[in-house]
Amino acid sequence: MVLNYDQIKIISKQYGDSFYLLDSKKFKNNYNELLDSFRKIYANTSIGYSYKTNYIPKLCSIVNELNGYAEVVSQMELELALSLGVKPNRIIFNGPYKQYNDIKNSLLNGSRIHIDSLTELDTVVEIVKEFRDQNFKIGIRCNFQISNLKISRFGINEDNGDLEVAFEKVKKVSNLKIAGIHCHFPNRDLNSFDERVNKMVEIANKYFN
């Protein structure tokens, strides 16, 4: 895509002063380059696209065409993904606030829900106990200290013992299993990624066989 001011003026006259310009080809190339780079080391890597970053349907549809996951954090984003034809088992449901019916429907449809709090976990346990003939898998969003920064606003705290409580709660439910862990920090520097990866490996070694 090659642009100049004259072309942008023409576009603004047609669509108004505020608009997005999407280079679909460039986006696909970036997506595949990122995925290929990870798969050279981790063959089973998949990409989940954050709808909250930019949920323009065209962009989200491209991710679905490339067999990427839809990572959603609200009822609106969940409904958008489904309306675009994203299969429920290709949806990652994240975020600190999920409505009861969305949790229930996502569990029954096979979406990947990442639990953000003990309260949310209690809701999940309540739901899965209604469906003893089905097995369910969830993810847990972990929260822990990195460097001298404030602890994240999101996830179940590992430092105060809440994360252990969460794993123990799930052990008591025969048709529920924790199948993955996740964390979310606002820090973008490489050192913070090094720290969080090491901590996540430590947590995985502690709680998974």
Side-chain angles (χ1 to χ4, degrees):
M1 180 184 292
V2 179
L3 290 172
N4 55 48
Y5 284 112
D6 291 334
Q7 289 173 305
I8 292 175
K9 284 180 180 178
I10 293 172
I11 294 171
S12 66
K13 286 180 180 178
Q14 184 173 355
Y15 295 102
D17 292 334
S18 298
F19 53 85
Y20 279 107
L21 286 174
L22 172 62
D23 188 336
S24 299
K25 183 177 180 181
K26 181 65 175 176
F27 179 84
K28 291 177 182 178
N29 289 340
N30 288 344
Y31 180 101
N32 289 323
E33 184 179 352
L34 176 64
L35 185 59
D36 291 344
S37 296
F38 271 92
R39 283 185 172 174
K40 288 176 182 177
I41 304 172
Y42 306 105
N44 292 327
T45 296
S46 296
I47 291 177
Y49 175 74
S50 167
Y51 271 39
K52 70 177 179 290
T53 302
N54 189 331
Y55 46 73
I56 289 178
K58 173 65 175 179
L59 187 57
C60 298
S61 294
I62 292 174
V63 175
N64 191 40
E65 291 169 12
L66 295 171
N67 207 33
Y69 285 82
E71 191 263 349
V72 304
V73 297
S74 68
Q75 182 184 42
M76 183 273 288
E77 293 176 10
L78 177 61
E79 291 175 351
L80 173 60
L82 293 171
S83 72
L84 294 174
V86 180
K87 295 179 180 178
N89 66 354
R90 305 294 296 179
I91 296 175
I92 302 168
F93 197 178
N94 253 326
Y97 176 71
K98 306 176 186 74
Q99 297 187 50
Y100 180 90
N101 285 337
D102 292 330
I103 294 175
K104 185 174 183 177
N105 292 334
S106 294
L107 284 168
L108 294 174
N109 290 334
S111 297
R112 302 186 177 203
I113 300 181
H114 287 169
I115 302 307
D116 199 78
S117 66
L118 291 177
T119 301
E120 200 168 79
L121 179 58
D122 288 339
T123 300
V124 169
V125 170
E126 177 188 334
I127 292 169
V128 302
K129 283 183 176 180
E130 296 178 32
F131 302 91
R132 292 289 189 179
D133 58 332
Q134 297 184 46
N135 293 317
F136 299 91
K137 294 180 180 180
I138 57 172
I140 294 284
R141 178 180 265 179
C142 307
N143 194 354
F144 45 82
Q145 186 75 47
I146 57 172
S147 296
N148 297 318
L149 300 168
K150 290 182 179 179
I151 199 163
S152 173
R153 295 181 294 134
F154 303 106
I156 300 177
N157 197 324
E158 198 266 343
D159 296 326
N160 69 1
D162 281 354
L163 187 62
E164 186 172 359
V165 170
F167 273 84
E168 289 301 317
K169 280 191 176 190
V170 173
K171 281 182 182 179
K172 297 175 182 178
V173 184
S174 60
N175 61 332
L176 182 63
K177 178 182 178 181
I178 297 175
I181 53 176
H182 165 72
C183 68
H184 178 93
F185 292 91
N187 320 73
R188 302 297 178 90
D189 61 285
L190 289 178
N191 287 337
S192 77
F193 278 92
D194 187 46
E195 284 189 67
R196 72 184 83 175
V197 168
N198 285 328
K199 185 63 178 180
M200 292 287 278
V201 170
E202 179 185 321
I203 290 172
N205 287 336
K206 180 177 179 180
Y207 292 105
F208 297 95
N209 295 322

